[in-house]
Amino acid sequence: MNCPELLCTQAYLDGELDGQAAAEAERHVETCADCQAFSTDAALVSDAIRRNLVRHAAPTGLRARIGAALDAERPSARVLPFRLGGRSFWTGAAGGAAVSALAAAFAILAILPPTAGTLAQSVADAHTQALMTGNVIQVVSSSHHTVKPWFAGRVPLSPPVADFAQQGFALAGGRTDEIAGNRAAVVVYRHGRHEIDLFVWADSGAHLPNETVTRGYRMLFWTRGDLDFAAVSDMEEAEMRKFVQLVRSEPE
């Protein structure tokens, strides 16, 4: 690879460029065979690392013991609020225990997987918010050589990116978003006048929702390997299922 812009391309893939510099790097990658090959190699390495990561979910018994311990720390005395410097604090006969239990509860909530209802609501909110604010696409391209590497350094995963234009689902670009506290990649497709958001985030052992329709948007969820997926669109059910089947048939 002899492209003089290779270091700039690497900085772009690492998420070190923004604004005009990032836009220029994107345009260069779309037209440079050397940088496209470099981007592909970087994505393959990222995929290989992700596939070999070992993730462990907390056993049900451990979660139950932690919950019981938190219940045991709940104060029996009445806890009264007071204000200091404009902020509310809790005090009383068992104030210290209350603060300790509250802090522990927040710590546990941070590591427990979200509920199916929380995931469905979060995906619907993210999709709707993107449409309302116009922040649908942050990297505009129909080339997976551009879209897939763009996620590097922006989300802690490497999402599958493919163009299904021949089947009627054209790759339009991508963006990042947040789903129930998890950083997610969103691969954006077009089908006629319909937009399809494909959300991808790292699996945390959460129970995924069943197929659902919220605010007129159909949402389908599934897990593959160590990644969770949600496809969202206002397309007809048959077309939505066709799109999901195309995504799921792509090799890892």
Side-chain angles (χ1 to χ4, degrees):
M1 296 183 184
N2 299 316
C3 177
E5 298 295 323
L6 195 59
L7 289 178
C8 184
T9 296
Q10 183 175 5
Y12 166 69
L13 296 179
D14 291 340
E16 297 174 359
L17 304 181
D18 54 20
Q20 183 64 28
E24 292 177 356
E26 287 175 15
R27 288 193 293 268
H28 173 75
V29 172
E30 290 181 348
T31 59
C32 176
D34 282 348
C35 287
Q36 285 182 8
F38 179 79
S39 299
T40 300
D41 290 344
L44 290 174
V45 171
S46 179
D47 285 344
I49 293 174
R50 176 177 57 80
R51 284 195 298 269
N52 288 285
L53 285 177
V54 179
R55 300 176 185 270
H56 300 281
T60 303
L62 174 60
R63 296 179 186 176
R65 290 196 298 274
I66 293 173
L70 290 175
D71 288 340
E73 287 192 19
R74 288 176 180 170
S76 58
R78 187 165 63 97
V79 179
L80 299 175
F82 74 94
R83 304 189 67 82
L84 177 62
R87 295 183 178 180
S88 294
F89 293 84
W90 294 96
T91 187
V99 172
S100 175
L102 185 61
F106 277 123
I108 297 303
L109 288 174
I111 63 174
L112 290 179
T115 65
T118 298
L119 282 174
Q121 186 64 48
S122 184
V123 169
D125 288 345
H127 181 72
T128 304
Q129 180 71 9
L131 291 174
M132 292 179 63
T133 61
N135 186 33
V136 174
I137 300 180
Q138 295 169 341
V139 53
V140 181
S141 178
S142 60
S143 170
H144 73 278
H145 292 295
T146 299
V147 178
K148 186 176 179 69
W150 181 85
F151 288 111
R154 292 177 171 87
V155 290
L157 55 97
S158 178
V161 179
D163 184 21
F164 306 111
Q166 292 185 349
Q167 294 86 0
F169 305 94
L171 176 65
R175 71 175 187 274
T176 61
D177 219 315
E178 190 165 305
I179 300 300
N182 296 305
R183 198 68 177 157
V186 187
V187 188
V188 183
Y189 292 85
R190 306 285 190 200
H191 179 68
R193 296 183 178 180
H194 302 280
E195 177 194 318
I196 313 163
D197 278 353
L198 178 64
F199 290 85
V200 189
W201 65 95
D203 177 56
S204 60
H207 178 68
L208 297 183
N210 297 320
E211 178 182 343
T212 182
V213 177
T214 301
R215 304 170 197 162
Y217 299 112
R218 186 176 303 278
M219 299 186 292
L220 277 71
F221 295 81
W222 70 95
T223 298
R224 187 173 73 181
D226 59 354
L227 298 178
D228 288 340
F229 295 78
V232 188
S233 181
D234 60 354
M235 291 190 304
E236 295 292 333
E237 180 179 359
E239 292 300 295
M240 188 71 164
R241 292 190 180 281
K242 179 181 178 181
F243 169 75
V244 170
Q245 183 59 38
L246 288 169
V247 175
R248 300 189 70 168
S249 65
E250 277 293 294
E252 294 190 35

